[in-house]
Coordinates of all heavy atoms in Angstrom, one line a residue:
M188 N 86.9 78.8 107.4 CA 87.9 78.4 108.4 C 87.3 78.6 109.8 O 86.7 79.6 110.1 CB 89.1 79.1 108.0 CG 89.9 80.0 108.7 SD 91.2 80.9 107.9 CE 90.3 81.9 106.8
K189 N 87.5 77.6 110.6 CA 87.0 77.7 112.0 C 87.5 78.7 112.9 O 86.9 79.2 113.8 CB 87.2 76.3 112.7 CG 86.5 75.2 112.0 CD 86.8 73.9 112.8 CE 86.3 72.7 112.1 NZ 86.6 71.5 112.9
N190 N 88.8 79.1 112.7 CA 89.4 80.1 113.6 C 89.3 81.5 113.2 O 89.9 82.4 113.9 CB 90.8 79.6 113.9 CG 91.7 79.6 112.6 OD1 91.1 79.6 111.5 ND2 93.0 79.5 112.7
F191 N 88.6 81.9 112.1 CA 88.5 83.3 111.7 C 87.6 84.0 112.7 O 86.5 83.6 113.1 CB 87.9 83.3 110.3 CG 87.7 84.7 109.8 CD1 88.8 85.5 109.3 CD2 86.5 85.4 109.8 CE1 88.6 86.8 108.9 CE2 86.3 86.7 109.4 CZ 87.4 87.4 108.9
I192 N 88.1 85.2 113.1 CA 87.3 86.0 114.1 C 86.6 87.2 113.4 O 85.4 87.4 113.5 CB 88.2 86.5 115.2 CG1 88.9 85.4 115.9 CG2 87.4 87.4 116.2 CD1 88.0 84.4 116.6
Q193 N 87.4 88.0 112.7 CA 86.9 89.2 112.0 C 88.0 89.7 111.0 O 89.1 89.4 111.1 CB 86.6 90.3 113.0 CG 87.8 90.9 113.8 CD 87.4 91.9 114.8 OE1 86.4 91.9 115.4 NE2 88.3 92.9 115.0
P194 N 87.6 90.6 110.1 CA 88.6 91.2 109.2 C 89.7 92.0 109.9 O 90.8 92.0 109.4 CB 87.7 92.1 108.2 CG 86.4 91.5 108.3 CD 86.2 91.0 109.7
G195 N 89.4 92.7 111.0 CA 90.4 93.4 111.7 C 90.6 94.8 111.3 O 91.5 95.4 111.8
H196 N 89.8 95.4 110.5 CA 89.9 96.8 110.1 C 89.5 97.7 111.3 O 89.9 98.8 111.4 CB 89.0 97.2 108.9 CG 89.3 96.2 107.7 ND1 90.5 96.2 107.0 CD2 88.5 95.3 107.1 CE1 90.4 95.3 106.1 NE2 89.2 94.8 106.1
V197 N 88.6 97.2 112.1 CA 88.1 97.9 113.3 C 88.1 96.9 114.4 O 87.7 95.7 114.3 CB 86.6 98.3 113.1 CG1 86.0 98.9 114.3 CG2 86.5 99.3 111.9
V198 N 88.6 97.3 115.6 CA 88.7 96.5 116.7 C 88.2 97.2 117.9 O 88.0 98.4 117.9 CB 90.2 96.0 117.0 CG1 90.7 95.1 115.9 CG2 91.1 97.2 117.3
T199 N 87.8 96.5 119.0 CA 87.3 97.0 120.2 C 88.4 97.4 121.2 O 89.2 96.6 121.5 CB 86.3 96.0 120.9 OG1 85.3 95.7 119.9 CG2 85.6 96.7 122.1
F200 N 88.4 98.7 121.5 CA 89.3 99.2 122.5 C 88.6 99.5 123.8 O 87.3 99.6 123.8 CB 89.9 100.6 122.0 CG 90.9 100.5 120.9 CD1 90.5 100.3 119.6 CD2 92.2 100.7 121.2 CE1 91.4 100.3 118.6 CE2 93.2 100.7 120.2 CZ 92.8 100.5 118.9
T201 N 89.3 99.8 124.9 CA 88.7 100.4 126.1 C 89.0 101.8 126.0 O 90.2 102.2 125.9 CB 89.3 99.7 127.3 OG1 89.0 98.3 127.3 CG2 88.7 100.3 128.6
A202 N 88.0 102.7 126.2 CA 88.3 104.2 126.1 C 89.2 104.6 127.2 O 89.1 104.1 128.4 CB 87.0 104.9 126.2
P203 N 90.2 105.4 126.9 CA 91.2 105.8 127.9 C 90.6 106.7 129.0 O 89.5 107.2 128.9 CB 92.2 106.6 127.0 CG 91.4 107.1 125.9 CD 90.4 106.1 125.6
V204 N 91.5 107.0 130.0 CA 91.1 107.9 131.1 C 90.7 109.3 130.4 O 91.3 109.7 129.5 CB 92.4 108.1 132.0 CG1 92.1 109.2 133.0 CG2 92.7 106.8 132.7
G205 N 89.6 109.8 130.9 CA 89.1 111.1 130.4 C 88.1 110.8 129.2 O 87.5 111.8 128.7
G206 N 88.0 109.6 128.8 CA 87.1 109.2 127.7 C 87.7 109.6 126.3 O 88.9 110.0 126.2
I207 N 86.9 109.4 125.3 CA 87.4 109.6 123.9 C 86.3 110.2 123.0 O 85.2 109.8 123.2 CB 88.0 108.3 123.3 CG1 88.7 108.5 122.0 CG2 86.9 107.3 123.1 CD1 90.1 109.0 122.2
Q208 N 86.7 111.1 122.2 CA 85.7 111.7 121.3 C 85.8 111.0 119.9 O 86.8 110.5 119.5 CB 86.0 113.2 121.0 CG 85.9 114.0 122.3 CD 84.5 114.2 122.7 OE1 83.6 114.4 121.9 NE2 84.3 113.9 124.0
S209 N 84.6 110.9 119.2 CA 84.6 110.3 117.9 C 85.6 111.0 117.0 O 85.7 112.2 117.0 CB 83.2 110.5 117.3 OG 83.1 110.0 116.0
G210 N 86.4 110.2 116.3 CA 87.4 110.7 115.4 C 88.8 111.0 116.0 O 89.7 111.4 115.4
A211 N 88.9 110.8 117.4 CA 90.2 111.1 118.0 C 91.0 109.8 118.0 O 90.5 108.7 118.0 CB 89.9 111.5 119.5
G212 N 92.3 110.0 118.1 CA 93.2 108.9 118.1 C 93.4 108.4 119.5 O 93.2 109.1 120.5
M213 N 93.6 107.0 119.6 CA 93.8 106.4 120.9 C 94.8 105.3 120.8 O 94.9 104.6 119.8 CB 92.5 105.9 121.5 CG 91.8 104.9 120.6 SD 90.1 104.5 121.3 CE 89.4 103.7 119.9
L214 N 95.6 105.1 121.9 CA 96.6 104.1 121.9 C 96.4 103.2 123.0 O 96.2 103.6 124.2 CB 98.0 104.9 122.0 CG 99.2 104.0 121.9 CD1 99.4 103.4 120.5 CD2 100.4 104.8 122.3
S215 N 96.5 101.9 122.8 CA 96.3 100.9 123.8 C 97.5 100.0 123.6 O 97.6 99.2 122.6 CB 95.0 100.1 123.7 OG 94.9 99.2 124.7
G216 N 98.5 100.0 124.5 CA 99.7 99.3 124.3 C 100.4 99.8 123.1 O 100.7 101.0 123.0
S217 N 100.6 99.0 122.1 CA 101.2 99.5 120.8 C 100.2 99.5 119.7 O 100.6 99.7 118.5 CB 102.4 98.7 120.5 OG 102.1 97.3 120.3
L218 N 98.9 99.3 120.0 CA 97.9 99.4 119.0 C 97.2 100.7 118.9 O 96.7 101.2 120.0 CB 96.9 98.3 119.2 CG 95.8 98.1 118.1 CD1 96.5 97.6 116.8 CD2 94.8 97.0 118.5
F219 N 97.2 101.4 117.8 CA 96.6 102.7 117.6 C 95.4 102.6 116.8 O 95.3 101.8 115.8 CB 97.6 103.6 116.9 CG 97.0 105.0 116.6 CD1 97.1 105.9 117.6 CD2 96.5 105.3 115.4 CE1 96.5 107.2 117.4 CE2 95.9 106.6 115.2 CZ 96.0 107.5 116.2
G220 N 94.3 103.3 117.2 CA 93.1 103.4 116.4 C 92.4 104.7 116.5 O 92.8 105.5 117.3
V221 N 91.5 104.9 115.6 CA 90.7 106.2 115.6 C 89.3 105.8 116.1 O 88.6 104.9 115.5 CB 90.7 106.8 114.2 CG1 89.8 108.1 114.2 CG2 92.1 107.2 113.8
A222 N 88.8 106.4 117.1 CA 87.5 106.1 117.7 C 86.4 106.4 116.8 O 86.3 107.4 116.1 CB 87.3 106.9 119.0
S223 N 85.5 105.4 116.6 CA 84.3 105.6 115.7 C 83.2 106.3 116.4 O 82.3 106.8 115.7 CB 83.9 104.2 115.2 OG 83.5 103.4 116.3
T224 N 83.2 106.3 117.7 CA 82.1 107.0 118.5 C 82.7 107.7 119.7 O 83.9 107.4 120.1 CB 81.0 106.0 119.0 OG1 81.6 105.0 119.8 CG2 80.3 105.4 117.8
T225 N 82.0 108.5 120.4 CA 82.4 109.1 121.7 C 82.1 108.1 122.8 O 81.0 107.5 122.8 CB 81.7 110.4 121.9 OG1 82.1 111.3 120.8 CG2 82.0 111.0 123.2
A226 N 83.0 107.9 123.7 CA 82.8 107.0 124.8 C 83.4 107.5 126.1 O 84.5 108.2 126.1 CB 83.4 105.6 124.4
A227 N 82.8 107.1 127.2 CA 83.3 107.5 128.5 C 84.5 106.6 128.9 O 84.7 105.5 128.3 CB 82.2 107.3 129.5
A228 N 85.3 107.1 129.7 CA 86.5 106.3 130.2 C 86.1 104.9 130.6 O 85.1 104.8 131.4 CB 87.2 107.0 131.3
G229 N 86.8 103.9 130.2 CA 86.6 102.5 130.6 C 85.5 101.8 129.7 O 85.4 100.6 129.8
A230 N 84.8 102.6 128.9 CA 83.7 101.9 128.1 C 84.4 101.3 126.9 O 85.5 101.7 126.4 CB 82.7 102.9 127.7
E231 N 83.7 100.3 126.3 CA 84.2 99.8 125.0 C 83.9 100.7 123.9 O 82.8 101.4 123.9 CB 83.6 98.4 124.8 CG 84.0 97.3 125.7 CD 83.5 95.9 125.3 OE1 82.6 95.8 124.5 OE2 84.1 95.0 125.8
V232 N 84.8 100.9 123.0 CA 84.7 101.7 121.8 C 85.4 101.1 120.6 O 86.5 100.6 120.7 CB 85.2 103.2 122.1 CG1 86.7 103.2 122.4 CG2 84.9 104.1 120.9
E233 N 84.7 101.1 119.5 CA 85.3 100.6 118.2 C 86.3 101.6 117.7 O 86.1 102.8 117.7 CB 84.2 100.3 117.2 CG 83.2 99.3 117.6 CD 83.8 98.0 117.9 OE1 84.6 97.4 117.1 OE2 83.6 97.4 119.1
G234 N 87.5 101.1 117.3 CA 88.5 102.0 116.7 C 89.0 101.4 115.4 O 89.3 100.2 115.3
A235 N 89.0 102.3 114.4 CA 89.6 101.9 113.1 C 91.1 101.8 113.2 O 91.7 102.7 113.7 CB 89.2 102.9 112.0
V236 N 91.7 100.7 112.8 CA 93.2 100.6 112.8 C 93.8 100.6 111.4 O 95.0 100.5 111.2 CB 93.6 99.3 113.5 CG1 93.1 99.3 115.0 CG2 93.0 98.0 112.9
E237 N 92.9 100.8 110.4 CA 93.4 100.9 109.0 C 92.6 102.0 108.3 O 91.4 102.3 108.7 CB 93.2 99.6 108.2 CG 94.0 98.5 108.7 CD 93.8 97.2 107.9 OE1 92.8 97.0 107.2 OE2 94.7 96.3 108.0
G238 N 93.1 102.6 107.3 CA 92.4 103.6 106.6 C 93.2 104.9 106.6 O 94.3 105.0 107.2
V239 N 92.7 106.0 106.0 CA 93.3 107.3 106.0 C 92.5 108.2 106.8 O 91.2 108.3 106.6 CB 93.4 107.8 104.5 CG1 94.0 109.2 104.5 CG2 94.3 106.9 103.7
F240 N 93.1 108.9 107.7 CA 92.4 109.8 108.6 C 93.2 111.1 108.7 O 94.4 111.1 108.7 CB 92.3 109.2 110.0 CG 91.4 108.0 110.1 CD1 92.0 106.7 109.8 CD2 90.1 108.1 110.3 CE1 91.2 105.6 109.8 CE2 89.3 107.0 110.4 CZ 89.8 105.7 110.1
E241 N 92.4 112.2 108.9 CA 93.0 113.5 109.2 C 93.1 113.7 110.7 O 92.1 113.6 111.4 CB 92.2 114.6 108.6 CG 92.9 116.0 108.7 CD 92.3 117.0 107.8 OE1 91.2 117.5 108.2 OE2 92.8 117.3 106.7
L242 N 94.3 113.8 111.2 CA 94.5 113.9 112.7 C 95.3 115.1 113.1 O 96.1 115.7 112.3 CB 95.3 112.6 113.1 CG 94.6 111.3 112.9 CD1 95.5 110.1 113.2 CD2 93.4 111.2 113.8
P243 N 95.2 115.5 114.3 CA 96.0 116.7 114.8 C 97.4 116.3 114.8 O 97.8 115.2 115.0 CB 95.4 116.9 116.2 CG 94.9 115.6 116.6 CD 94.4 114.9 115.4
K244 N 98.3 117.3 114.5 CA 99.7 117.1 114.5 C 100.5 118.2 115.2 O 100.0 119.3 115.4 CB 100.2 116.9 113.1 CG 100.4 118.2 112.3 CD 101.2 117.9 111.0 CE 101.4 119.2 110.2 NZ 102.3 120.1 110.8
A245 N 101.7 117.8 115.6 CA 102.6 118.7 116.2 C 103.1 119.7 115.2 O 102.8 119.6 114.0 CB 103.8 118.0 116.8
A246 N 103.8 120.7 115.5 CA 104.3 121.8 114.6 C 105.5 121.2 113.8 O 106.5 121.8 113.7 CB 104.6 123.0 115.3
D247 N 105.3 120.1 113.2 CA 106.3 119.5 112.3 C 106.0 119.7 110.9 O 104.9 119.8 110.5 CB 106.3 117.9 112.5 CG 106.6 117.5 113.9 OD1 107.3 118.3 114.7 OD2 106.3 116.4 114.3
D248 N 107.1 119.8 110.1 CA 106.9 119.9 108.6 C 106.9 118.4 108.1 O 107.9 117.7 108.4 CB 108.1 120.6 108.0 CG 107.9 120.9 106.6 OD1 106.8 121.1 106.1 OD2 109.0 121.1 105.8
V249 N 105.8 118.0 107.5 CA 105.6 116.6 107.1 C 105.6 116.5 105.6 O 105.0 117.2 104.9 CB 104.3 116.0 107.6 CG1 104.1 114.6 107.2 CG2 104.3 116.1 109.2
S250 N 106.4 115.5 105.1 CA 106.5 115.2 103.6 C 105.6 114.0 103.3 O 105.4 113.1 104.1 CB 107.9 114.9 103.2 OG 108.7 116.0 103.5
F251 N 105.1 114.0 102.1 CA 104.3 112.8 101.6 C 105.2 111.6 101.8 O 106.4 111.5 101.5 CB 104.0 113.0 100.1 CG 103.3 111.8 99.5 CD1 101.9 111.7 99.6 CD2 103.9 110.7 98.9 CE1 101.2 110.6 99.1 CE2 103.3 109.6 98.4 CZ 101.9 109.6 98.5
G252 N 104.5 110.5 102.4 CA 105.2 109.3 102.5 C 106.1 109.1 103.8 O 106.6 108.1 104.1
E253 N 106.2 110.2 104.6 CA 107.0 110.2 105.8 C 106.3 109.4 106.9 O 105.1 109.4 107.0 CB 107.2 111.6 106.2 CG 108.2 111.8 107.4 CD 108.6 113.2 107.6 OE1 108.1 114.1 106.9 OE2 109.4 113.4 108.5
R254 N 107.1 108.6 107.6 CA 106.6 107.9 108.7 C 106.1 108.8 109.8 O 106.8 109.8 110.1 CB 107.7 107.0 109.3 CG 108.1 105.8 108.5 CD 109.1 105.0 109.2 NE 109.4 103.8 108.3 CZ 110.2 102.8 108.7 NH1 110.8 102.9 109.8 NH2 110.4 101.8 107.8
L255 N 105.0 108.5 110.4 CA 104.4 109.3 111.4 C 104.1 108.5 112.7 O 103.9 107.3 112.6 CB 103.1 109.9 110.9 CG 103.2 110.9 109.7 CD1 101.9 111.3 109.2 CD2 104.1 112.1 110.1
Y256 N 104.2 109.2 113.8 CA 104.2 108.6 115.1 C 103.1 109.3 116.0 O 102.8 110.4 115.8 CB 105.6 108.7 115.8 CG 106.7 108.1 115.0 CD1 107.3 108.8 114.0 CD2 107.1 106.8 115.2 CE1 108.3 108.2 113.2 CE2 108.1 106.2 114.5 CZ 108.7 106.9 113.5 OH 109.6 106.3 112.7
W257 N 102.6 108.5 117.0 CA 101.6 109.1 117.9 C 102.3 109.5 119.2 O 102.9 108.6 119.8 CB 100.5 108.1 118.1 CG 99.4 108.6 119.0 CD1 99.1 108.3 120.3 CD2 98.4 109.6 118.7 NE1 98.0 109.0 120.8 CE2 97.6 109.8 119.8 CE3 98.2 110.3 117.5 CZ2 96.5 110.7 119.8 CZ3 97.1 111.2 117.5 CH2 96.3 111.4 118.6
D258 N 102.1 110.7 119.6 CA 102.6 111.2 120.9 C 101.4 111.1 121.8 O 100.5 111.9 121.7 CB 103.1 112.7 120.7 CG 103.6 113.3 122.0 OD1 103.2 112.7 123.1 OD2 104.3 114.3 122.0
D259 N 101.4 110.1 122.6 CA 100.2 109.8 123.5 C 100.1 110.9 124.6 O 99.0 111.0 125.2 CB 100.3 108.4 124.1 CG 98.9 107.9 124.4 OD1 97.9 108.2 123.7 OD2 98.8 107.2 125.5
T260 N 101.2 111.6 124.9 CA 101.1 112.6 125.9 C 100.4 113.9 125.4 O 99.4 114.4 125.9 CB 102.5 113.0 126.5 OG1 103.0 111.8 127.0 CG2 102.4 114.1 127.5
A261 N 100.8 114.3 124.2 CA 100.3 115.5 123.5 C 99.0 115.1 122.7 O 98.3 116.0 122.3 CB 101.3 116.1 122.6
K262 N 98.7 113.8 122.5 CA 97.6 113.4 121.8 C 97.6 113.9 120.3 O 96.6 114.4 119.8 CB 96.2 113.7 122.4 CG 96.1 113.2 123.8 CD 96.1 111.7 123.9 CE 95.8 111.2 125.3 NZ 96.4 109.9 125.6
N263 N 98.8 113.8 119.7 CA 98.9 114.3 118.3 C 99.9 113.5 117.5 O 100.7 112.7 118.1 CB 99.1 115.8 118.2 CG 100.4 116.2 118.8 OD1 101.4 115.4 118.9 ND2 100.5 117.5 119.1
V264 N 100.0 113.7 116.2 CA 100.9 113.0 115.3 C 102.2 113.8 115.3 O 102.1 115.1 115.3 CB 100.3 112.9 113.9 CG1 101.2 112.3 112.9 CG2 99.0 112.1 114.0
T265 N 103.3 113.1 115.2 CA 104.6 113.8 115.1 C 105.5 113.0 114.2 O 105.3 111.8 113.9 CB 105.2 113.9 116.5 OG1 106.5 114.6 116.4 CG2 105.4 112.6 117.2
T266 N 106.6 113.6 113.8 CA 107.6 112.9 113.0 C 108.7 112.4 113.9 O 109.6 111.7 113.5 CB 108.2 113.9 112.0 OG1 108.8 115.0 112.6 CG2 107.2 114.3 110.9
T267 N 108.6 112.7 115.2 CA 109.6 112.2 116.2 C 109.3 110.8 116.6 O 108.3 110.5 117.2 CB 109.6 113.2 117.4 OG1 109.8 114.5 117.0 CG2 110.6 112.8 118.4
A268 N 110.3 109.9 116.4 CA 110.1 108.5 116.7 C 110.4 108.2 118.2 O 109.7 107.4 118.8 CB 111.1 107.7 115.9
T269 N 111.3 109.0 118.8 CA 111.7 108.7 120.2 C 110.5 108.8 121.1 O 109.8 109.9 121.1 CB 112.8 109.7 120.6 OG1 113.9 109.6 119.7 CG2 113.3 109.4 122.0
D270 N 110.3 107.8 121.9 CA 109.2 107.7 122.9 C 107.8 107.8 122.3 O 106.9 108.1 123.1 CB 109.4 108.9 124.0 CG 110.7 108.7 124.8 OD1 111.1 107.6 125.0 OD2 111.3 109.8 125.1
N271 N 107.7 107.6 121.0 CA 106.3 107.6 120.4 C 106.1 106.3 119.6 O 107.0 105.5 119.4 CB 106.2 108.8 119.5 CG 106.3 110.1 120.3 OD1 105.6 110.3 121.3 ND2 107.2 111.0 119.8
T272 N 104.9 106.1 119.2 CA 104.5 104.8 118.5 C 104.2 105.1 117.1 O 103.4 105.9 116.7 CB 103.2 104.3 119.2 OG1 103.5 104.1 120.6 CG2 102.8 103.0 118.6
L273 N 104.9 104.3 116.2 CA 104.6 104.4 114.7 C 103.2 104.0 114.4 O 102.7 103.0 114.9 CB 105.6 103.4 114.0 CG 105.4 103.3 112.5 CD1 105.8 104.7 111.8 CD2 106.2 102.2 111.9
I274 N 102.5 104.9 113.7 CA 101.1 104.6 113.4 C 100.8 104.6 111.9 O 99.8 104.1 111.5 CB 100.1 105.7 114.0 CG1 100.4 107.1 113.5 CG2 100.2 105.6 115.5 CD1 99.3 108.1 113.8
G275 N 101.7 105.1 111.1 CA 101.5 105.0 109.6 C 102.4 106.0 108.9 O 103.5 106.3 109.3
A276 N 101.9 106.5 107.7 CA 102.7 107.4 106.9 C 101.7 108.5 106.3 O 100.5 108.3 106.2 CB 103.3 106.6 105.7
A277 N 102.4 109.6 106.0 CA 101.6 110.8 105.5 C 101.2 110.5 104.1 O 102.0 110.0 103.3 CB 102.4 112.0 105.6
V278 N 100.0 110.8 103.7 CA 99.5 110.7 102.3 C 99.3 112.1 101.7 O 98.8 112.2 100.6 CB 98.2 109.9 102.2 CG1 98.4 108.4 102.6 CG2 97.1 110.5 103.0
A279 N 99.7 113.1 102.4 CA 99.8 114.5 101.9 C 100.8 115.2 102.7 O 101.0 114.9 103.9 CB 98.4 115.1 102.0
A280 N 101.5 116.1 102.1 CA 102.4 117.0 102.8 C 101.6 117.9 103.7 O 100.5 118.2 103.5 CB 103.2 117.8 101.8
S281 N 102.3 118.4 104.8 CA 101.6 119.3 105.8 C 102.7 120.2 106.4 O 103.6 119.7 107.0 CB 100.9 118.4 106.9 OG 100.3 119.3 107.8
A282 N 102.6 121.4 106.1 CA 103.6 122.4 106.6 C 103.6 122.5 108.1 O 102.6 122.2 108.7 CB 103.4 123.7 105.9
S283 N 104.6 123.1 108.7 CA 104.8 123.2 110.1 C 103.7 124.0 110.7 O 103.3 123.8 111.9 CB 106.1 123.7 110.5 OG 106.3 125.0 110.0
G284 N 103.1 125.0 110.0 CA 102.0 125.8 110.5 C 100.7 125.2 110.5 O 99.7 125.8 111.0
V285 N 100.5 124.1 109.8 CA 99.2 123.4 109.6 C 99.0 122.5 110.8 O 100.0 121.8 111.3 CB 99.2 122.6 108.3 CG1 97.9 121.9 108.2 CG2 99.4 123.6 107.1
T286 N 97.8 122.5 111.4 CA 97.6 121.7 112.6 C 97.1 120.3 112.4 O 96.9 119.6 113.4 CB 96.6 122.5 113.5 OG1 95.3 122.6 112.8 CG2 97.1 123.8 113.9
T287 N 96.9 119.9 111.2 CA 96.5 118.5 110.9 C 97.4 117.9 109.8 O 98.0 118.5 109.1 CB 95.0 118.4 110.5 OG1 94.9 119.2 109.3 CG2 94.1 119.0 111.6
V288 N 97.3 116.5 109.7 CA 97.9 115.8 108.7 C 97.1 114.6 108.3 O 96.4 114.0 109.2 CB 99.4 115.4 109.1 CG1 99.3 114.4 110.3 CG2 100.2 114.8 108.0
R289 N 97.1 114.2 107.1 CA 96.4 113.0 106.6 C 97.4 111.8 106.8 O 98.4 111.8 106.2 CB 95.9 113.1 105.2 CG 94.8 114.1 105.2 CD 94.2 114.2 103.8 NE 93.1 115.2 103.9 CZ 92.4 115.6 102.8 NH1 92.7 115.1 101.6 NH2 91.5 116.5 103.0
V290 N 96.9 110.8 107.5 CA 97.7 109.6 107.8 C 97.1 108.4 107.3 O 95.9 108.1 107.6 CB 97.9 109.5 109.4 CG1 98.8 108.3 109.7 CG2 98.4 110.8 110.0
R291 N 97.9 107.5 106.6 CA 97.4 106.2 106.3 C 97.9 105.3 107.4 O 99.1 105.1 107.6 CB 97.9 105.7 105.0 CG 97.4 104.3 104.7 CD 98.3 103.5 103.7 NE 97.7 102.2 103.5 CZ 97.9 101.1 104.3 NH1 98.7 101.2 105.4 NH2 97.4 100.0 104.0
L292 N 96.9 104.8 108.2 CA 97.3 104.0 109.4 C 97.9 102.7 108.9 O 97.5 102.1 107.9 CB 96.1 103.7 110.2 CG 95.4 104.9 110.8 CD1 94.2 104.5 111.7 CD2 96.3 105.8 111.6
N293 N 98.9 102.2 109.6 CA 99.6 101.0 109.2 C 98.9 99.7 109.6 O 99.2 98.6 109.2 CB 101.0 100.9 109.6 CG 101.3 101.0 111.1 OD1 100.3 100.8 111.9 ND2 102.5 101.2 111.4
G294 N 97.9 99.8 110.6 CA 97.1 98.7 111.0 C 97.9 97.6 111.7 O 97.5 96.5 111.9
T295 N 99.1 97.9 112.2 CA 99.9 97.0 113.0 C 100.2 97.5 114.4 O 100.1 98.7 114.6 CB 101.2 96.6 112.2 OG1 102.0 97.8 112.2 CG2 101.0 96.1 110.9
A296 N 100.6 96.6 115.2 CA 101.0 96.9 116.5 C 102.5 96.9 116.7 O 103.2 96.3 115.9 CB 100.4 96.0 117.6

């Protein structure tokens, strides 16, 4: 097909202010991705928009299958929908004292 561009599992983002570390979450508009490399602010960086990733989280108690959101101010995953962007669902429970959670990214904006 003539109009096919790419599979879309990984897309090119512009690294945010302050740059981005490999494996960190980044939000551009309503599209969330996990940086595949470290990049300086303003540089192009590939970001995975699908897959399962372990990401930092707020002090929330998370259940398997629960919807998860990105808090772009705190740069972490939260269960709070208000003022945050839906990024996927938990594929493992994570207690409030645990600082990470495994997230299956939803790959949508």
Side-chain angles (χ1 to χ4, degrees):
M188 120 189 68
K189 295 181 191 181
N190 57 344
F191 179 78
I192 305 297
Q193 66 181 33
H196 308 292
V197 175
V198 296
T199 304
F200 286 76
T201 299
V204 173
I207 191 80
Q208 296 293 312
S209 176
M213 58 187 165
L214 186 66
S215 181
S217 60
L218 186 62
F219 179 82
V221 177
S223 61
T224 60
T225 297
E231 289 188 344
V232 61
E233 299 300 307
V236 296
E237 294 180 343
V239 176
F240 295 88
E241 188 168 74
L242 296 171
K244 77 168 180 70
D247 299 336
D248 190 27
V249 176
S250 301
F251 177 87
E253 188 168 0
R254 287 183 179 182
L255 296 173
Y256 303 84
W257 184 252
D258 178 339
D259 204 39
T260 301
K262 304 294 185 208
N263 65 20
V264 176
T265 181
T266 58
T267 303
T269 305
D270 297 326
N271 297 311
T272 302
L273 178 66
I274 62 168
V278 295
S281 183
S283 61
V285 178
T286 60
T287 61
V288 63
R289 289 185 181 176
V290 183
R291 184 204 177 273
L292 300 181
N293 62 12
T295 62

